[in-house]
Amino acid sequence: MVNAQHVFDQTSILEWQQVLSQCCNRTAFSAMLAIDLVLGNDDRHWNNWLVQQSVDPAGAPCYRLRGLDFSRSWPVRHPSQPPLAHAHPNTWLACKAWATLGVEFNAVIFHETCVKISQLSAKWLRRVALQPIEGIFLSTSEIDTLCIWWENSLKHQVIETIYSLEHGVRP
């Protein structure tokens, strides 16, 4: 079944290696690293990936990865943490395990994802991400504050993310 969740022991290196040998979007790791660093998510670890059964363009079965759990990132933590000042090491520890799993950092995908994030307007953020939770999780004034930060500080956060990876730590 396409898009059904593939359940496995996500703490097992061997099981991850098996999943990744049939993964149809291996660059998801580099894209998610960009998202996590821009949003200040310091808690990306192996148990917060959704692994779905899928098919590749040729029709062969494969697995598709989707990042979950942004509870330790912006907007829950506002403002976003600087990329190299994360309070918790999970995101960086997970990156260090990439080589063991056969995952390669893809700088092009990382940069393309940063560019896409920087092009998302505060108007888009309000309409797509924040309005659906207005009055449930966030007040209108909190949404206004988040949109102001997005409009005024996001591009700086993206630049800092790219600079940090190019001149600081690398997966």
Side-chain angles (χ1 to χ4, degrees):
M1 174 189 284
V2 175
N3 292 328
Q5 181 177 354
H6 174 67
V7 179
F8 67 105
D9 179 3
Q10 289 184 284
T11 63
S12 167
I13 291 174
L14 292 175
E15 290 191 40
W16 264 109
Q17 287 173 329
Q18 181 182 0
V19 165
L20 293 173
S21 71
Q22 299 174 50
C23 182
C24 54
N25 67 328
R26 293 174 67 93
T27 60
F29 289 101
S30 298
M32 188 55 60
L33 179 62
I35 295 166
D36 284 339
L37 294 182
V38 169
L39 297 182
N41 187 13
D42 64 5
D43 195 32
R44 174 71 48 214
H45 53 79
W46 298 106
N47 285 324
N48 55 24
W49 286 92
L50 172 64
V51 178
Q52 295 178 300
Q53 298 172 9
S54 189
V55 292
D56 67 17
C62 66
Y63 295 114
R64 181 165 304 282
L65 304 175
R66 302 197 190 279
L68 304 171
D69 189 2
F70 293 89
S71 63
R72 292 177 58 135
S73 68
W74 187 91
V76 175
R77 288 184 176 172
H78 177 71
S80 182
Q81 299 181 82
L84 295 179
H86 286 177
H88 197 279
N90 276 347
T91 298
W92 293 119
L93 290 174
C95 290
K96 289 179 180 179
W98 287 6
T100 304
L101 296 172
V103 174
E104 293 182 23
F105 174 69
N106 186 316
V108 171
I109 294 297
F110 178 87
H111 284 91
E112 286 175 355
T113 303
C114 285
V115 168
K116 288 176 187 174
I117 294 168
S118 72
Q119 294 172 340
L120 298 173
S121 70
K123 185 177 179 180
W124 171 89
L125 176 73
R126 179 181 298 275
R127 187 183 82 253
V128 173
L130 299 177
Q131 275 183 340
I133 59 173
E134 184 173 6
I136 301 168
F137 295 109
L138 296 171
S139 69
T140 301
S141 65
E142 289 170 319
I143 289 174
D144 291 343
T145 299
L146 294 171
C147 288
I148 289 167
W149 179 88
W150 190 271
E151 192 69 37
N152 296 328
S153 302
L154 176 69
K155 286 186 176 47
H156 175 75
Q157 183 76 4
V158 171
I159 290 166
E160 188 173 343
T161 295
I162 293 168
Y163 182 87
S164 296
L165 203 70
E166 290 178 351
H167 297 94
V169 294
R170 294 182 74 84

